[in-house]
Amino acid sequence: MSQSKPTPKHKFKTKLNRDGLQTPPGGFRSTTQNQQLAASEQAGEPAQPTANGANSSPAPNYPQNPELEYKQSQEQLKDQRVTRTRQQRNSTVWYKKPFVWILAGLIVIVGLILAVFLFINRPTPSASTPASPASSSVSKKAKLTTKPKLKTKQAPKKLQPDQKVQNEPNKKNDETKRHWNNPGSYDNMKYDNDDFTIQLNNSSDGVKLIPDSDQKPALYIEYTFTNKSKQPLKPQDAVGKDIQLKQNDQVLTGIGPAGDNQDAQNKINAAQKAVDPGQKADVAMMFVVANTKDQIIMSFKNLETDQFITTTQPFKL
């Protein structure tokens, strides 16, 4: 059987070039020529003559080197595959991407740090918080106690006996308050009351000026102390509480005699010793004076009113 010859795709005649490929009439045009022709056709310019002297006319673009174009097509396929793999990688699910896991890990770490910080700095319960049940119970008791307020209208009448009870201690105080037969009197160098008697020595040796411990003149007074109470008493305490000496309205203070005056020192020391009830003691007292010209006034106290009586004893120096 005779094999049928393949029919050419184009009706125009072709000839073989040096490589054995068919070339259309007029020869092959380079790619740059084809680009120039296409640009001129788009701009509406007439076709330029070719190197053979003939006007160039649009012709189909035949492959110049099939093998080269085949290789280029294969390379394009590889590029397409690479781009597809890249697109597939880029189109992976978001939770499978590594930066998502890194971000999630950072969020978890920050959350743990905040939880530890809040746990350490958590507010401690105050001491007043557990008192809420007690407050509720107190409020309940208050509610219960507020109901019988209507019955307390007669309470003032019941309070009257309490007032009497409060007044009873005052009555007891009045009953226990001491009644003085002689709270304090003075006459002729003698100060007398229900507890003791002070008899001043009116002689020249009993009231005089003598040197004190600073070798300055001081008032020295001898007296006899008689204890009329039922308990021991010290003469110096009685003098300090119930007798006062002033010079020019200034209260005089006590002082001791010079070191060589042993007799005066002994009597002053005796005034610091207790005298038994019903007993007597010869003692002395001594005071600092501001000067030796102005007189000194001795005052005596009323033990019931705790005020000085009007009768006084002046001493002229």
Side-chain angles (χ1 to χ4, degrees):
M1 292 178 69
S2 62
Q3 295 179 355
S4 61
K5 297 182 179 179
T7 59
K9 294 181 179 181
H10 304 282
K11 294 181 181 181
F12 50 84
K13 295 181 180 180
T14 61
K15 62 180 180 179
L16 298 174
N17 56 13
R18 290 181 302 177
D19 297 331
L21 299 175
Q22 295 179 356
T23 57
F28 285 105
R29 290 186 294 271
S30 64
T31 56
T32 56
Q33 290 176 354
N34 292 330
Q35 291 176 359
Q36 289 175 0
L37 289 172
S40 62
E41 287 177 359
Q42 290 178 0
E45 296 178 354
Q48 299 293 331
T50 61
N52 297 327
N55 292 332
S56 62
S57 61
N61 191 7
Y62 295 99
Q64 297 178 0
N65 193 348
E67 293 180 358
L68 182 60
E69 291 185 0
Y70 178 75
K71 290 180 180 180
Q72 292 177 354
S73 64
Q74 292 297 324
E75 290 178 357
Q76 290 178 357
L77 289 173
K78 289 181 181 179
D79 294 337
Q80 290 177 359
R81 290 175 183 174
V82 171
T83 54
R84 286 177 183 174
T85 54
R86 288 178 180 176
Q87 290 177 357
Q88 288 178 357
R89 289 178 183 176
N90 294 330
S91 63
T92 53
V93 185
W94 62 271
Y95 58 83
K96 292 183 179 180
K97 294 180 180 180
F99 78 90
V100 175
W101 292 101
I102 294 171
L103 182 61
L106 291 174
I107 293 172
V108 171
I109 292 170
V110 172
L112 290 174
I113 293 172
L114 289 174
V116 171
F117 178 76
L118 293 175
F119 178 78
I120 293 172
N121 296 327
R122 69 184 186 277
T124 56
S126 60
S128 60
T129 52
S132 58
S135 61
S136 62
S137 61
V138 171
S139 61
K140 290 180 181 179
K141 291 180 180 180
K143 290 180 181 179
L144 293 174
T145 54
T146 52
K147 291 181 180 179
K149 282 185 178 179
L150 297 174
K151 296 181 180 180
T152 58
K153 292 182 178 179
Q154 297 177 356
K157 295 181 180 180
K158 294 181 180 180
L159 292 175
Q160 291 178 356
D162 296 336
Q163 294 177 355
K164 292 180 180 180
V165 172
Q166 292 178 358
N167 293 329
E168 288 178 359
N170 295 329
K171 290 182 178 180
K172 290 181 180 179
N173 292 332
D174 294 338
E175 291 176 356
T176 56
K177 188 175 180 180
R178 183 174 179 179
H179 296 284
W180 296 84
N181 294 324
N182 182 8
S185 60
Y186 180 77
D187 183 28
N188 193 18
M189 304 289 287
K190 181 180 179 181
Y191 173 62
D192 189 23
N193 56 45
D194 291 346
D195 289 339
F196 58 86
T197 300
I198 293 176
Q199 181 67 54
L200 301 178
N201 189 352
N202 197 17
S203 65
S204 58
D205 293 332
V207 180
K208 59 184 177 179
L209 291 174
I210 62 174
D212 59 8
S213 58
D214 296 331
Q215 296 299 322
K216 294 181 180 180
L219 179 63
Y220 175 78
I221 303 173
E222 293 182 353
Y223 63 97
T224 301
F225 181 83
T226 304
N227 186 359
K228 298 166 59 177
S229 67
K230 296 180 180 180
Q231 58 185 359
L233 296 177
K234 291 182 180 181
Q236 186 177 2
D237 294 340
V239 170
K241 292 179 182 179
D242 304 331
I243 296 176
Q244 186 182 75
L245 281 79
K246 285 184 178 183
Q247 186 179 30
N248 296 328
D249 294 333
Q250 292 183 357
V251 179
L252 304 183
T253 57
I255 194 171
D260 57 351
N261 195 343
Q262 192 63 39
D263 186 28
Q265 186 65 51
N266 291 335
K267 289 188 177 181
I268 291 174
N269 292 337
Q272 299 176 4
K273 296 179 181 180
V275 179
D276 293 332
Q279 299 297 321
K280 296 181 179 182
D282 293 331
V283 295
M285 50 184 161
M286 189 171 177
F287 298 90
V288 178
V289 295
N291 58 72
T292 58
K293 295 180 179 180
D294 298 328
Q295 68 177 1
I296 295 173
I297 302 298
M298 178 181 283
S299 302
F300 307 93
K301 187 177 289 185
N302 185 327
L303 301 182
E304 185 174 8
T305 61
D306 198 25
Q307 300 293 328
F308 288 100
I309 60 179
T310 56
T311 305
T312 58
Q313 175 61 51
F315 293 102
K316 293 182 180 180
L317 303 179

